[in-house]
Amino acid sequence: MNAALRAVVRAALGRGAEVIGFNHGYEGLINDESRNLDSPSVGGIIDRGGTILRTARSAAFMTREGRDQAMAVLIKNGCEGLVVIGGDGSLTGALKLQEEFDYPVCGVPGSIDNDISGTDFSIGFDTAVNTAVDAIDRVRDTAYSHERVFVIEVMGRRNGFIALEAGLAGGAEAILVPEMPFSLPDIGAELLEAASKGKRSSIIVVAEGAAKADDVREALSECTGFECRAVVLGHMQRGGSPTAFDRVLALRLGHLATNRLLSGFRGEMAGLAGNLLVSHPLTFVLSSERQIDPEKLLLSEAMAQ
Amino acid sequence: MNAALRAVVRAALGRGAEVIGFNHGYEGLINDESRNLDSPSVGGIIDRGGTILRTARSAAFMTREGRDQAMAVLIKNGCEGLVVIGGDGSLTGALKLQEEFDYPVCGVPGSIDNDISGTDFSIGFDTAVNTAVDAIDRVRDTAYSHERVFVIEVMGRRNGFIALEAGLAGGAEAILVPEMPFSLPDIGAELLEAASKGKRSSIIVVAEGAAKADDVREALSECTGFECRAVVLGHMQRGGSPTAFDRVLALRLGHLATNRLLSGFRGEMAGLAGNLLVSHPLTFVLSSERQIDPEKLLLSEAMAQ
Amino acid sequence: MNAALRAVVRAALGRGAEVIGFNHGYEGLINDESRNLDSPSVGGIIDRGGTILRTARSAAFMTREGRDQAMAVLIKNGCEGLVVIGGDGSLTGALKLQEEFDYPVCGVPGSIDNDISGTDFSIGFDTAVNTAVDAIDRVRDTAYSHERVFVIEVMGRRNGFIALEAGLAGGAEAILVPEMPFSLPDIGAELLEAASKGKRSSIIVVAEGAAKADDVREALSECTGFECRAVVLGHMQRGGSPTAFDRVLALRLGHLATNRLLSGFRGEMAGLAGNLLVSHPLTFVLSSERQIDPEKLLLSEAMAQ
Amino acid sequence: MNAALRAVVRAALGRGAEVIGFNHGYEGLINDESRNLDSPSVGGIIDRGGTILRTARSAAFMTREGRDQAMAVLIKNGCEGLVVIGGDGSLTGALKLQEEFDYPVCGVPGSIDNDISGTDFSIGFDTAVNTAVDAIDRVRDTAYSHERVFVIEVMGRRNGFIALEAGLAGGAEAILVPEMPFSLPDIGAELLEAASKGKRSSIIVVAEGAAKADDVREALSECTGFECRAVVLGHMQRGGSPTAFDRVLALRLGHLATNRLLSGFRGEMAGLAGNLLVSHPLTFVLSSERQIDPEKLLLSEAMAQ
């Protein structure tokens, strides 16, 4: 997020605009927690996780009164447009400002779940996947040394993007995602067969939206009789210094969104399509859903042999 | 562990002895899972977590019959002494071989909990602490950005060594260890007071033997009304490439234990006292208990202000 | 590379084929250093840098006699096709086998320089960039604390792919690549201007093909009078546990190349175009050149303000 | 350094004192670059490399006039004592203030070279060693895959502390330090003998004060005919998020120094002896020299077999 902020600020300054930031997201916008953002204020932050502006959920912004107040603050501060960095909820809020007040907004997709339509990658996803893979690598050392089955639960309530990517990269024997039905007895049978060929340790990666690690552990333990352990990565997957990919992505999307807004485009979200930058209407982004890549699902099966 | 193995093998070869390893610990010893260990066999493993010899619990070795069988295997393989790398359980087993059969053994302390007497540091502790601190750093990014309280549970069933070290290094606001009584309402009151001075995010580190993260989370949430989250690091703390400190420690202890054994000393465990190598009788090691450092407990209070 | 090997082996086994690997690349092929690769032989290697097959330059393979010998070895081992993982040189060798002997080959692009046409990303690039960024982050700590200018030389003899990506992600004040002319006096003037506004530390990233770090350091030191230091990352950029992106990329490309070869396609290289897999003729791949992305060059200028 | 600063500030506040920091070391002291340091000002910095106070060399402080000016600034700011965090140079400056003005000072040893007497470890050493080992691990991947000899130059102008520790932990075949004579032809002969037994890759670690990596590379290349490469780690070894060990060490030493100063002790430096805190007179610290540990030198020879 900090890299995106850096890009927004420097792109705007480069075109002669001034930039004001609001702490605590929409809540801070309503409460006028503004701060001036000049070029040095976003120096030295590109390697930091989280966001220097902090964030907060805002119940008030869900109401029309809250948004009226937010608009008043924007006008009071002389803001002529708003760049919003965040996930579905934040982007929906931006679209409301645009629709209700015809106020110029532009979105930058930030979501470690990578569940935002209109872009192949959201800011934070690559970092979260690498953090999960690092944890899987550590667990694999123990799985190998102790010859056990480990069930590792990663983030992803509604989808399996992190699970699929981290499972592939972590060399998991099975990957459970909400998008695909699975059978724990079948997986247990595969573990038994693998064990009969001498393979005594296995890693199962499961998206939190597909099953609870502990339930999978118990079920596999019962079918196989093997010692199974569950690990829930949880909030450890957030934060940490962002990967190079995420930093460059954030710079590119923040830069594009700001330039589009300053050039008069409105109600769009900057995104990546392959290696190219695109900008889609927020109405499109928020009414469609990213699908998991079937090629990668097939790949995970082929690799598990 | 791999670094210790490397040291044992190279120290022994350097003195003209041959080295045989047994896979799967005592279980593999009973089953004669021996393998020849020459110098190249321990090359290129110093940076790997876990152990190339794997490990396993052995119920059989707990019985006199099992140990008779183990002795028979040692004799059959022409072994004139045994170096055991591991924790309290492994060292107890070694002592039994020595006492029951007058067989020469020497121990090397490996335990990420750092709970082995007779040495200031056990192999694996520094790596586990750094892994925990890395996770705390990541969580702190989120704690700061979202202004929440996070309760992070680290390993340590019987003691708070990891919790205290990782909590200090992670800048935790409170550290809960089994060795010290604590009051969750008091901690809640401190969080409220800190919040009144503008501090909105906090990290509480808790040893698994002191309390469950989720119970702490619930109690603090109730006293303070703040949004609290629990993170259980679990098996992720094991494994991973060892730190420089752990590698050098393992080399030093493995080297010493092997040299002592080859020089005719028996029933000892190599250890570190300050920066000096020592070798204590296993009987002493296994009958005493490492105490947590009161200076560091005081330090954690002074730093939490 | 190891992840690609894993994918090749498991894809082939999944289709009923057997797999033989040759150590030391073409040199080992000529010398028949073959080894059988079954499924377990590629287990537990996905997180390891380098390649378990090792590699070597082969002067012999450059000659027709060498290639005759290589063909004889392939036939002797009953190989019906060859998957080659590597850079321009390796792929050129594969194409020669195909053209001279009508032998079925398929390529997988591996090059940390990312200079292979026909794919947006080569295996190893993302890992190398992240390693460089990690080093830049460390140097920036010192640059900030000591208020100095640091010139960091990264790999890239013929192009600036690593420099541009690592420079952007590392927040560099200037990025020097072979593809773009640059003026050291101009950069010096910018440093002086930045210093006049209070900015006292700067990072300059330079591709080894654009200039020597030490020459840049000397030139900037002269124009500005600032204390400048040079750091040459060198071979440290190679090796290390691969990133999630590189591992998944390697699995996808290795899997595709193997399936294409087994399906009767010949003389192709698997590649990534955006997020989609593609397979281009080696003749095309080897006769065209990857261009640096002008959008990112512009971005680097916009961010340096 | 930031962790030490945190400890100094919180220890002082805990005893009712106020804390003022000076940016840019002695230079900033002379120029009165003071800033108030309250508890929040040192929050969230424990995981950051470098120092928030920045640092600078001060030619002025070398003169009596400069020190007179520094004293005037200390008095003007109402400072009743000074804690100095740094290496030999910084500590010498502190001693001068004490001797010339009878002003209360206390030192905290910060030096990644670990060359300060009176303490087993200086702040920054463990982090620098781990950074060097991480780089050696990466280079070893390439050394192994390409079967080459790599000569890696690490910091240490006057001593071999980093080289010895990093070389041991990195599994180096030879470690060259200024404290011990060495013969490159002998090392070349050992490489040839190892190669005759099938060992084709080697890592040589050399302290910058013992020899230039490039000279070693050339000499070994000549005696052996092997492909040798040189890597100079340079400033990359500084900076980066500190290890757990360094953070806890910094907290302990900063806490002790501050408490000693507030309790009326003067002219001391806090240090670690084994696991115990000690405080030695600066006169002793600055007149003696840390010696390299002969046990570790012997260990490095035993491990290289």
Side-chain angles (χ1 to χ4, degrees), chain C residues 24 54-55 141 144-145 147 240, chain D residues 24 54-55 141 144-145 147:
Chain C
H24 299 113
R54 299 186 169 201
T55 182
D141 284 345
Y144 175 81
S145 292
E147 303 188 335
Chain D
H24 300 112
R54 299 187 168 200
T55 184
D141 285 345
Y144 175 84
S145 293
E147 302 187 337

Side-chain angles (χ1 to χ4, degrees), chain B residues 8-19 37-40 42 258 262, chain D residues 305:
Chain B
V8 169
V9 169
R10 299 214 167 154
L13 296 177
R15 290 187 56 167
E18 278 173 67
V19 189
L37 292 175
D38 56 7
S39 187
V42 292
T258 309
L262 288 168
Chain D
Q305 288 162 357

Side-chain angles (χ1 to χ4, degrees), chain A residues 249-279:
Chain A
L249 176 67
L251 292 177
R252 293 173 80 187
L253 298 184
H255 187 242
L256 176 66
T258 308
N259 275 302
R260 296 284 290 182
L261 190 64
L262 289 168
S263 298
F265 295 91
R266 296 160 165 231
E268 297 181 344
M269 185 194 78
L272 194 71
N275 282 314
L276 298 179
L277 294 175
V278 291
S279 199

Side-chain angles (χ1 to χ4, degrees), chain A residues 136-152 170-174 187 190-205 220 224 226-229 303-305, chain B residues 24 51 54-55, chain C residues 6 10 39-40 43-45:
Chain A
I136 295 172
D137 284 351
R138 291 178 186 277
V139 171
R140 194 195 304 110
D141 285 345
T142 303
Y144 175 83
S145 292
H146 289 73
E147 302 188 337
R148 285 179 191 155
V149 174
F150 275 89
V151 181
I152 304 178
E173 272 68 27
I187 293 172
E190 281 162 27
L191 292 180
L192 284 169
E193 202 202 320
S196 74
K197 292 180 190 157
K199 179 165 199 169
R200 297 201 184 152
S201 66
S202 289
I203 300 279
I204 318 287
V205 171
L220 292 180
T224 62
F226 296 158
E227 221 177 322
C228 298
R229 297 290 167 94
M303 286 306 105
Q305 286 163 1
Chain B
H24 299 113
T51 156
R54 298 185 170 202
T55 184
Chain C
R6 173 184 164 108
R10 299 213 167 153
S39 188
I45 63 170

Side-chain angles (χ1 to χ4, degrees), chain D residues 92-143:
Chain D
T92 303
L95 184 58
K96 280 214 181 296
L97 285 186
Q98 158 106 9
E99 290 176 342
E100 292 175 355
F101 308 95
D102 195 26
Y103 188 80
V105 299
C106 206
V108 176
S111 157
I112 69 171
D113 285 337
N114 206 26
D115 56 358
I116 303 172
S117 265
T119 186
D120 289 344
F121 290 100
S122 296
I123 301 165
F125 176 67
D126 188 60
T127 302
V129 168
N130 275 284
T131 305
V133 169
D134 183 67
I136 294 172
D137 284 351
R138 290 177 187 279
V139 171
R140 194 194 303 108
D141 285 345
T142 303

Side-chain angles (χ1 to χ4, degrees), chain D residues 180-198:
Chain D
M180 284 281 288
F182 53 87
S183 146
L184 292 180
D186 284 3
I187 293 172
E190 282 161 27
L191 293 180
L192 283 169
E193 201 202 319
S196 74
K197 294 180 190 156

Side-chain angles (χ1 to χ4, degrees), chain B residues 6-243:
Chain B
R6 173 184 164 107
V8 169
V9 169
R10 299 214 167 154
L13 296 177
R15 290 187 56 167
E18 278 173 67
V19 189
I20 291 173
F22 291 93
N23 284 346
H24 299 113
Y26 291 123
E27 191 70 18
L29 176 56
I30 290 173
N31 300 328
D32 197 3
E33 300 181 39
S34 65
R35 55 195 273 187
N36 187 48
L37 292 175
D38 56 7
S39 187
S41 72
V42 292
I45 64 169
I46 202 168
D47 61 337
R48 307 236 62 190
T51 156
I52 60 167
L53 290 183
R54 298 185 170 202
T55 184
R57 289 205 208 108
S58 178
F61 195 79
M62 301 291 190
T63 68
R64 177 65 198 232
E65 292 70 33
R67 292 194 294 273
D68 284 340
Q69 174 62 15
M71 268 312 299
V73 171
L74 284 169
I75 289 160
K76 186 195 137 202
N77 282 281
C79 298
E80 295 169 50
L82 182 67
V83 177
V84 172
I85 310 171
D88 269 1
S90 304
L91 298 173
T92 304
L95 183 58
K96 280 213 182 296
L97 285 185
Q98 158 107 8
E99 289 177 341
E100 291 174 357
F101 306 95
D102 195 25
Y103 188 80
V105 300
C106 206
V108 176
S111 158
I112 68 169
D113 286 338
N114 206 26
D115 56 358
I116 303 172
S117 266
T119 186
D120 289 343
F121 290 100
S122 295
I123 301 165
F125 176 67
D126 188 59
T127 302
V129 168
N130 275 285
T131 305
V133 169
D134 183 66
I136 294 171
D137 284 351
R138 290 177 187 279
V139 171
R140 194 195 304 109
D141 285 345
T142 303
Y144 175 83
S145 292
H146 289 73
E147 303 189 334
R148 285 179 191 154
V149 173
F150 275 90
V151 180
I152 306 180
E153 184 180 320
V154 300
M155 286 202 288
R157 258 180 224 158
R158 292 177 302 169
N159 58 61
F161 294 115
I162 291 183
L164 184 54
E165 208 80 12
L168 278 169
E173 272 68 27
I175 305 173
L176 311 184
V177 297
E179 291 91 341
M180 282 283 287
F182 54 86
S183 146
L184 294 180
D186 283 3
I187 294 173
E190 282 162 26
L191 292 179
L192 283 169
E193 202 203 319
S196 74
K197 293 180 191 157
K199 179 164 197 170
R200 299 202 182 150
S201 67
S202 290
I203 302 278
I204 318 287
V205 170
V206 50
E208 59 183 335
K212 289 269 155 217
D214 214 53
D215 297 344
V216 175
R217 181 195 63 71
E218 210 177 304
L220 292 179
S221 194
E222 265 175 42
C223 342
T224 63
F226 296 159
E227 224 178 319
C228 298
R229 297 292 167 91
V231 179
V232 179
L233 294 188
H235 277 86
M236 204 213 71
Q237 288 160 93
R238 300 179 180 276
S241 183
T243 59

